[in-house]
Amino acid sequence: MDLIFSDLHANLHALRVMLRFARRRGITRFVSLGDLVGYGPHPNQVLERIFQLRPRVLVRGNHDRVCGSGQEMDGFNGPARQSAEWTHNRLRDDLRRALMDMPMGPVVIEDGYVAAHGSPGDEDTYLLGQREVGEAFECFDGPLCFFGHTHLPGCWELDEASHSLQWIQMEPEEWLTLRPGCRYLANPGSVGQPRDRDNRASFMTCDARHKRIRLHRLEYDWDAEAKAILAAGLHPSLATRLAAGM
Ligand code: ZN
């Protein structure tokens, strides 16, 4: 069993809850889809914990790239830019190097399962509409690509015979079994900054042997994390959005 997660965004309280879940279920294999840092107040603590886990796949996200390099900040809005500068100035050298060493997606996990941050064709592209999603299916082989970046959990299913594309809203704890003749782009949502008006940490598990995936949502202490954002002097909107889940 693999635990697939994305967009942790330096949220230590959300990470702790996810790791407790993994320990209880005996899960030791992790796949990270990027954006470990940016927005949140605990970049060094989060990176330390994540690298200790030795995830089998770590792809970089756009915030990892910008916070690590200190470049390209012009593309970010005010709060994102301020948090990227704040993060860049506080990252420990060894952790910054490890952050910069993470490969760009897509990266193969196993058996044609792949991991990307945005689109498998471009890490900065948000997969939100049918057109971009249709193009993204051209950019990887195999039955399943996990992606993040939008912070919205769920799954796109492409029926190869009819070419029909549909968005599947996944219910927490319900298995979704991959159908033969279909290919999938699955988003585990965001652990550290959910944006679907549900403030619980979001991630997935994947049972490759039985070709099935499952969404999980867990309550965490977002209030403590929001207070740490304010205490760090980061933009207050980054604190309020944790409470609202958007
Ligand atoms: Zn993100």
Coordinates of all heavy atoms in Angstrom, one line a residue, residues 7 9 35 39 62-63 117 149 151 195, ligand 1:
D7 N 1.0 18.9 -2.0 CA 0.7 20.2 -1.5 C 0.6 20.3 0.1 O -0.4 20.7 0.6 CB -0.6 20.7 -2.2 CG -0.4 20.9 -3.7 OD1 0.2 21.9 -4.1 OD2 -0.7 20.0 -4.4
H9 N 2.7 22.1 1.8 CA 2.8 23.5 2.1 C 3.2 23.9 3.5 O 2.6 24.7 4.2 CB 1.6 24.3 1.7 CG 1.4 24.4 0.2 ND1 2.3 25.2 -0.6 CD2 0.5 23.9 -0.7 CE1 2.0 25.1 -1.9 NE2 0.9 24.3 -2.0
D35 N 5.2 20.5 -3.8 CA 4.8 21.6 -3.0 C 4.8 21.2 -1.5 O 3.8 21.4 -0.8 CB 3.4 22.2 -3.4 CG 3.6 23.2 -4.6 OD1 4.7 23.3 -5.1 OD2 2.6 23.9 -4.9
Y39 N 3.8 29.0 1.6 CA 2.6 29.4 2.3 C 2.7 29.1 3.8 O 2.3 29.9 4.7 CB 1.3 28.6 1.8 CG 0.9 28.9 0.5 CD1 0.5 27.9 -0.4 CD2 0.8 30.2 0.0 CE1 0.1 28.1 -1.7 CE2 0.4 30.5 -1.3 CZ 0.0 29.4 -2.2 OH -0.4 29.7 -3.4
N62 N 5.9 23.6 -8.1 CA 6.3 25.0 -8.4 C 6.8 25.8 -7.2 O 7.7 26.5 -7.3 CB 5.2 25.7 -9.2 CG 3.9 25.8 -8.4 OD1 3.5 24.8 -7.8 ND2 3.2 26.9 -8.5
H63 N 6.1 25.6 -6.1 CA 6.6 26.3 -4.9 C 7.9 25.8 -4.4 O 8.7 26.6 -3.9 CB 5.5 26.2 -3.7 CG 4.3 27.1 -3.9 ND1 4.2 28.3 -3.3 CD2 3.2 26.9 -4.7 CE1 3.0 28.9 -3.7 NE2 2.4 28.0 -4.5
H117 N 3.3 16.9 -10.6 CA 2.8 17.9 -9.7 C 1.6 18.6 -10.4 O 0.4 18.4 -9.9 CB 3.8 19.0 -9.4 CG 3.3 20.1 -8.5 ND1 2.8 19.8 -7.2 CD2 3.0 21.4 -8.7 CE1 2.4 20.9 -6.7 NE2 2.5 21.9 -7.6
H149 N -1.4 20.2 -7.3 CA -1.3 21.5 -7.8 C -2.7 22.3 -7.6 O -2.7 23.5 -7.3 CB -0.8 21.6 -9.2 CG -0.3 22.9 -9.7 ND1 0.4 23.8 -9.0 CD2 -0.5 23.5 -11.0 CE1 0.7 24.8 -9.7 NE2 0.2 24.7 -10.9
H151 N -5.2 21.4 -5.6 CA -5.6 21.2 -4.2 C -7.1 20.7 -4.2 O -7.7 20.9 -3.1 CB -5.5 22.5 -3.4 CG -4.1 23.1 -3.2 ND1 -3.7 23.8 -2.1 CD2 -3.0 23.0 -4.1 CE1 -2.4 24.1 -2.3 NE2 -2.0 23.7 -3.4
R195 N -8.6 23.2 -0.7 CA -9.4 24.3 -1.3 C -10.7 24.0 -1.8 O -11.3 24.6 -2.7 CB -8.6 24.9 -2.4 CG -7.3 25.6 -2.0 CD -6.5 26.2 -3.2 NE -5.2 26.6 -2.7 CZ -4.2 26.9 -3.6 NH1 -4.4 26.8 -4.9 NH2 -3.0 27.2 -3.2
Ligands
ZN1 ZN 0.3 23.9 -4.0

